[in-house]
Amino acid sequence: ITKMVSWQTKRPTVFKELLKRLDIDDEAPDVSPQFKAVIHKEFSFSAYLALCVASGVTDSIQIHPLTWFMVLVVFGFFATMNWFVMIPLGSWTPGFIVCVIGCLIAMWGIVLRKRYHVERVIRSDETAQGHIIAQRTASVGSANPDMEEHLRFHQRHNTEIIMLRGLQVVLFLLCYEFARVVLDVHDWKTNPGMHMLYCGFFVFFFLI
């Protein structure tokens, strides 16, 4: 809600459209108090959670244009290294594996961190939680457009989506490298042990 209040100065066009949908006169002197009152009254937390889930599922299924752009940038980097430095793509296979391990560990850490915060709130005393919620509500009611500047990075940006799109790029490269390793007949004849090890790693990652 604090972020939405700041739209009055940072995103005036969007804020006016929102006022129009809420049947609030954008020329009224008490626009902000009216907006806060309507949001507090009409805001549905269950609908908000459903929208967040739908947005997360959509982002995980539909590839964002930024993800495709990063894939092209990475392949362009590999092509440049192969053309000028003569480093074949197969030499990057251990790097792919390390990147996948890093992304999986990061996602696992984020899940544990979120679960810890949820469990801490559940274990908290209801009276203390009510006091905290009352303080936050009061702060929203007296919020000003500059209040967003004091929020943390993960409060101002959807860091989960950033990690998800990074994981999409890594998984795309992983699938490409797996197909290249499996169908590389020459390397299977010259170095079958290493290729078997790579295939084992790839299958393990796909299973988890």
Side-chain angles (χ1 to χ4, degrees), residues 80-136:
T80 302
M81 296 297 292
N82 189 26
W83 181 267
F84 292 101
V85 193
M86 301 301 176
I87 300 179
L89 185 60
S91 302
W92 298 93
T93 302
F96 288 145
I97 296 175
V98 172
C99 288
V100 172
I101 294 175
C103 285
L104 291 177
I105 292 177
M107 295 291 286
W108 178 67
I110 290 174
V111 171
L112 290 182
R113 183 173 178 270
K114 295 296 183 182
R115 182 183 299 175
Y116 167 75
H117 285 299
V118 171
E119 292 176 352
R120 187 179 64 177
V121 171
I122 293 175
R123 291 194 303 264
S124 300
D125 182 72
E126 293 183 0
T127 303
Q129 283 300 311
H131 180 65
I132 293 174
I133 292 174
Q135 285 183 336
R136 290 180 178 177

